[in-house]
């Protein structure tokens, strides 16, 4: 990925008039340059280059854009190749400019992608993957679900993956990803995962970022589960397993079911409970809750074993859930069951009944820690409070904390002040105040420039093409060249280069992901309805561009004293205004939806 700010620097450094003059004879016309359009046959020049705005446009064929889009269109280059060519021309070293951290992420991505494909292929080899496939079938996992989750097999051989990395010159990348390790003695490396059924852990966009491995068929194969270490790609405190498979169902239900194991999550999906997710660590963090909020999962259900381990998990997870004010319920499985086995035996209907009967988190917590409630002895109440201290300490002062103490007081039969006094010893101390300015030992770091959020209509345009790439052929006015947000242009370039939607979204900023995600939810699922919405978005963007140009012309010509005193520049601008108004009418006539209704009205300005 080329950093967005570097693409902007290339556009600022390129002399667009000089660039286009190599291919088009241009003549000065006031503040602009005019010539015959290189993209269609014409006798009267209607092609303008505006150096002040760094863009070109043609009133005849409606071609428009910046220096990058001109190179793309005229020389048939891809977006990224056009940027690289122009960067070389103006002396910008994109390789040197690339963030070392971004380069490392790209290396980790390549290594993880290769490993995922390596493991996946071995699982489906007739002889090599037989034991792993038998294990999957014994757990009721169908081949279809195994393919959907990208499951794989790491054989017992010591260096099969390491040898493959070595062959492709990626051994160092595989070591950075923790997929291969150096031998303790001698040269060479060995595979980290061996004799394990491999479960890829994926980003919400669907790209593998890490692995979990379950030992199969080996008596002494180390721990039952082995997980990738954290890296620039993988932060387990911000990753939920199954998010790529559950995203649509989460938004539909506005709820999520949280379990603790990969195969618990896979087993629930197998029977049709598709809003299930699994933690990739033993703790639930603010990062996990932020991921759930972005996916619009407002209500959470903890589906846990009905034994001491299940109760311990509730106590462990209650603190961050209460601190975040996340509406949470607890569903307990029958003794001896886990979510996977229960789902296989009872099916989706049985799981849904269990979820419907789930208790509110605090109700369950109080009832299990102090079943007798007010009738409990003093010693029993103090023991219960002691177990609640790790939960209470995570809830910051405020309404939620006060409500928690009030509910505890009601259950215990004590006053809220007594409860608070008993739990106060574990309350975290307030953060120390910042030192006065004159005591500062170092100057504060400058604040980074805030990223500009993408315009809504441009995000809708890109989201529609990500959903149905065929729509790009319906862009008769080449709105793709009119996109003003460089982050969206980069996403579109990757998505239309054959690399796929998940790859296009993987490296973009959270702000761009959020805008595309919101746009994705506004659009129809596909077909004529989506095409109709896409046409309206194209119309909106084009009419906005024309409106902006008309405003500029109005300001530049409104001081004109009289018709006989017009300068050549003013005449050109007024002629351009007539052409723009004609273009506006053509757009309004041509960009009409094909009869399908839209899910949400997207009216042009």
């Amino acid at each position: 990925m080329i950093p967005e700010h570097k693409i902007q620097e290339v556009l600022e450094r390129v002399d667009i008039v000089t660039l286009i003059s190599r291919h088009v004879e241009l003549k000065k016309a006031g503040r602009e340059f005019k010539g015959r359009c290189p993209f269609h046959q014409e006798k009267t020049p209607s092609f303008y280059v505006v150096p002040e705005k760094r863009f070109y446009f043609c009133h005849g064929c409606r071609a428009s854009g910046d220096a990058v889009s001109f190179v793309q269109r005229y020389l048939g280059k891809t977006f990224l190749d056009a940027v690289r060519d122009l960067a070389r021309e103006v002396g910008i070293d994109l390789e040197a400019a690339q963030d070392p951290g971004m380069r490392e992420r790209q290396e980790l991505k390549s290594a993880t992608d290769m490993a995922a494909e390596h493991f996946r292929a071995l699982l489906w080899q007739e002889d090599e993957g037989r034991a792993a496939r038998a294990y999957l079938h014994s757990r009721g996992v169908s081949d279809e679900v195994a393919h959907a989750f990208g499951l794989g097999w790491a054989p017992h051989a010591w260096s099969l993956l390491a040898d493959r990395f070595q062959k492709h010159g990626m051994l160092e990348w595989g070591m950075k990803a923790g997929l291969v390790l150096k031998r303790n003695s001698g040269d060479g490396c060995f595979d980290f995962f061996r004799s394990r059924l491999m479960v890829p852990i994926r980003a919400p966009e669907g790209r593998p970022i890490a692995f979990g491995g379950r030992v199969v068929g080996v008596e002494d194969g180390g721990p039952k589960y082995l997980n990738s270490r954290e890296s620039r790609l993988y932060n387990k405190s911000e990753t939920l397993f199954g998010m790529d498979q559950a995203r649509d169902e989460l938004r539909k239900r506005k709820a999520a079911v949280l379990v603790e194991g990969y195969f618990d999550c896979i087993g629930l999906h197998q029977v049709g409970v598709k809003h299930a997710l699994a933690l990739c660590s033993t703790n639930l963090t603010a990062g996990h809750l932020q991921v759930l909020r972005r996916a619009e999962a407002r209500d959470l259900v903890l589906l846990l074993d009905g034994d001491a381990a299940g109760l311990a998990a509730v106590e462990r997870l209650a603190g961050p859930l209460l601190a975040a004010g996340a509406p949470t319920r607890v569903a307990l499985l029958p003794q001896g069951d886990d979510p996977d086995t229960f789902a296989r035996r009872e099916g989706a209907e049985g799981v849904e009944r269990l979820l419907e009967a789930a208790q509110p988190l605090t109700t369950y917590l109080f009832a299990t820690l102090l079943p007798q409630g007010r009738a409990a002895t003093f010693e029993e109440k103090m023991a219960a409070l002691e177990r609640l201290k790790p939960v209470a300490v995570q809830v910051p002062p405020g309404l939620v904390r006060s409500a928690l103490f009030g509910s505890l007081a009601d259950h215990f039969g004590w006053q809220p002040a007594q409860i608070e006094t008993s739990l106060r010893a574990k309350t975290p101390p307030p953060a120390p105040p910042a030192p006065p300015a004159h005591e500062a030992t170092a100057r504060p770091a400058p604040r980074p420039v805030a990223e500009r959020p993408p315009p809504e209509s441009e995000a809708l345009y890109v989201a529609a093409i990500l959903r149905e790439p065929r729509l790009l052929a319906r862009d008769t006015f080449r709105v793709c060249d009119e996109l003003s947000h460089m982050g969206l242009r980069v996403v579109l370039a990757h998505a239309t280069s054959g690399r796929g939607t998940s790859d296009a979204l993987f490296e973009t900023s959270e702000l761009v992901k959020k805008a595309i995600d919101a746009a994705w939810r506004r659009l129809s699922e596909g077909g004529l309805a989506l095409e109709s919405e896409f046409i309206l978005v194209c119309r909106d963007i084009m009419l906005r561009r024309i409106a902006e140009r008309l405003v500029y012309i109005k300001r530049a010509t409104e001081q004109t004293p009289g018709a006989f005193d017009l300068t050549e520049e003013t005449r050109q601008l007024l002629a351009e205004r007539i052409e723009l108004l004609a273009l506006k009418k053509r757009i309004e006539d041509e960009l009409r939806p094909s009869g399908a209704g839209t899910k949400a009205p997207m009216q042009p300005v």
Side-chain angles (χ1 to χ4, degrees):
M1 293 285 283
I2 301 172
E4 186 179 327
H5 71 277
K6 278 293 160 188
I7 301 176
Q8 293 288 3
E9 184 182 346
V10 168
L11 290 172
E12 289 168 7
R13 296 261 296 267
V14 168
D15 184 335
I16 191 168
V17 175
T18 301
L19 171 69
I20 295 178
S21 291
R22 296 173 195 159
H23 313 286
V24 180
E25 184 180 346
L26 296 176
K27 293 183 180 179
K28 193 138 183 3
R31 297 180 186 177
E32 302 166 351
F33 291 80
K34 190 174 183 180
R36 290 190 177 88
C37 179
F39 304 118
H40 80 289
Q41 297 294 321
E42 63 175 7
K43 295 180 180 179
T44 304
S46 61
F47 180 83
Y48 290 84
V49 181
V50 188
E52 181 184 351
K53 300 276 188 177
R54 300 189 184 90
F55 81 101
Y56 67 88
F57 63 93
C58 173
H59 294 308
C61 70
R62 304 177 290 268
S64 64
D66 54 27
V68 173
S69 75
F70 182 85
V71 172
Q72 282 184 263
R73 190 193 295 245
Y74 191 81
L75 300 178
K77 300 272 188 177
T78 66
F79 174 82
L80 296 177
D81 285 343
V83 172
R84 293 188 184 104
D85 289 352
L86 291 173
R88 280 194 295 270
E89 186 171 316
V90 296
I92 296 176
D93 187 349
L94 295 178
E95 290 296 326
Q98 193 174 7
D99 179 2
M102 187 178 290
R103 280 202 299 273
E104 183 176 335
R105 278 176 62 86
Q106 190 62 48
E107 292 170 357
L108 291 171
K109 281 166 55 181
S110 298
T112 306
D113 283 349
M114 179 175 285
E117 177 55 31
H118 171 80
F119 296 139
R120 189 203 63 77
L122 289 172
L123 175 63
W124 303 107
Q125 280 188 13
E126 185 169 350
D127 293 329
E128 183 58 68
R130 182 176 287 114
R133 293 195 303 276
Y135 175 78
L136 286 176
H137 294 155
S138 74
R139 299 198 64 152
V141 179
S142 69
D143 289 355
E144 181 184 0
V145 169
H147 279 294
F149 280 87
L151 303 184
W153 169 244
H156 188 65
W158 277 91
S159 60
L160 206 59
L161 181 58
D163 293 344
R164 186 169 180 180
F165 280 142
Q166 180 77 54
K167 178 181 177 181
H168 289 84
M170 296 168 59
L171 188 60
E172 185 177 345
W173 302 359
M175 292 172 64
K176 285 181 182 178
L179 292 164
V180 295
L181 305 175
K182 270 190 171 298
R183 296 183 183 274
N184 292 328
S185 59
D187 297 331
C189 296
F190 63 94
D191 297 349
F192 179 68
F193 293 104
R194 291 178 297 111
S195 299
R196 291 183 181 271
L197 182 66
M198 299 302 295
V199 181
I201 300 167
R202 294 163 166 171
E205 296 79 33
R207 185 153 193 167
I209 55 176
F211 299 94
R214 205 276 188 202
V215 70
V216 173
V218 178
E219 290 281 334
D220 185 19
K224 182 187 289 187
Y225 281 95
L226 199 58
N227 297 309
S228 291
R229 70 187 187 200
E230 292 192 299
S231 68
R232 285 187 181 272
L233 278 189
Y234 174 51
N235 182 349
K236 63 185 178 182
S237 65
E238 296 179 355
T239 304
L240 291 167
F241 175 76
M243 179 60 75
D244 60 308
Q245 295 291 314
R247 287 177 75 187
D248 292 342
E249 193 71 8
L250 293 174
R251 292 201 174 90
K252 179 181 175 182
R253 293 191 180 224
K254 309 297 181 189
V257 178
L258 289 180
V259 295
E260 290 198 287
Y262 303 138
F263 281 97
D264 290 334
C265 177
I266 292 171
L268 289 170
H269 279 256
Q270 170 86 39
V271 301
V273 182
K274 296 186 180 298
H275 58 315
L277 302 167
L279 294 170
C280 293
S281 63
T282 56
N283 295 318
L284 185 69
T285 69
H288 293 136
L289 294 172
Q290 180 63 27
V291 170
L292 289 166
R293 277 193 292 271
R294 283 202 299 267
E296 299 183 20
R298 293 191 291 266
D299 298 320
L300 307 179
V301 180
L302 304 179
L303 183 56
L304 303 167
D305 299 350
D307 54 15
L311 175 58
V314 173
E315 293 180 41
R316 187 176 69 248
L317 301 175
L321 287 167
L322 291 171
T328 307
R329 294 178 298 133
V330 179
L332 281 186
L333 292 155
Q335 192 77 21
D337 271 348
D338 57 33
D340 179 24
T341 55
F342 182 86
R344 271 187 285 155
R345 187 180 70 246
E346 303 293 335
E349 290 184 2
V351 176
E352 293 292 351
R353 284 195 300 270
L354 200 66
L355 298 178
E356 288 172 9
Q359 293 180 300
L361 174 59
T362 50
T363 301
Y364 170 79
L365 196 61
F366 300 166
T368 50
L369 290 180
L370 194 68
Q372 303 91 336
R374 291 168 178 255
T377 65
F378 174 79
E379 290 77 11
E380 288 170 335
K381 291 178 181 179
M382 292 304 296
L385 282 177
E386 190 64 30
R387 289 180 66 176
L388 281 168
K389 281 182 179 180
V391 175
V393 73
Q394 298 179 65
V395 184
L399 180 62
V400 174
R401 187 178 177 88
S402 298
L404 175 63
F405 288 164
S407 297
L408 279 170
D410 185 60
H411 187 72
F412 277 60
W414 288 354
Q415 294 297 315
Q418 294 174 305
I419 297 288
E420 186 169 5
T421 299
S422 299
L423 296 174
R424 187 181 296 155
K426 291 289 185 180
T427 302
H438 66 273
E439 294 181 13
T441 57
R443 294 179 63 185
R447 294 179 64 184
V449 178
E451 183 183 0
R452 179 172 63 90
E456 183 181 12
S457 57
E458 295 189 9
L460 285 164
Y461 175 92
V462 173
I465 290 178
L466 290 179
R467 178 161 283 172
E468 285 197 12
R470 69 172 181 84
L471 290 175
L472 197 59
R474 297 285 282 120
D475 181 11
T476 55
F477 283 80
R478 286 194 65 91
V479 175
C480 54
D481 294 329
E482 296 288 344
L483 298 182
S484 62
H485 196 278
M486 194 53 66
L488 289 176
R489 289 183 66 177
V490 172
V491 169
L492 188 63
H494 279 279
T496 55
S497 65
R499 299 174 65 174
T501 300
S502 62
D503 196 47
L505 291 174
F506 192 79
E507 280 291 0
T508 194
S509 69
E510 284 300 316
L511 197 61
V512 173
K513 282 182 185 176
K514 185 176 180 181
I516 293 177
D517 211 36
W520 189 279
R521 295 196 299 274
R522 279 194 61 189
L523 294 167
S524 296
E525 290 299 320
L528 272 180
L530 179 63
E531 185 172 319
S532 178
E533 291 167 1
F534 179 72
I535 289 172
L536 283 180
V537 168
C538 291
R539 172 188 171 112
D540 181 24
I541 294 173
M542 290 301 297
L543 292 181
R544 284 175 187 270
R545 295 292 179 270
I546 291 173
E548 290 166 3
R549 184 63 181 167
L550 288 173
V551 168
Y552 167 78
I553 292 174
K554 181 180 178 182
R555 289 174 180 169
T557 59
E558 62 187 2
Q559 301 299 323
T560 301
F564 294 104
D565 301 314
L566 294 179
T567 63
E568 179 60 28
E569 179 181 353
T570 304
R571 291 179 192 277
Q572 292 286 350
L573 288 173
L574 292 174
E576 181 188 339
R577 179 178 179 276
I578 294 172
E579 293 172 344
L580 283 171
L581 291 172
L583 175 60
K584 179 181 178 182
K585 186 175 186 309
R586 285 202 302 274
I587 290 171
E588 290 171 340
D589 290 342
E590 294 179 28
L591 293 187
R592 293 183 182 277
S594 55
T598 60
K599 183 190 284 187
M602 290 173 270
Q603 295 299 326
V605 172

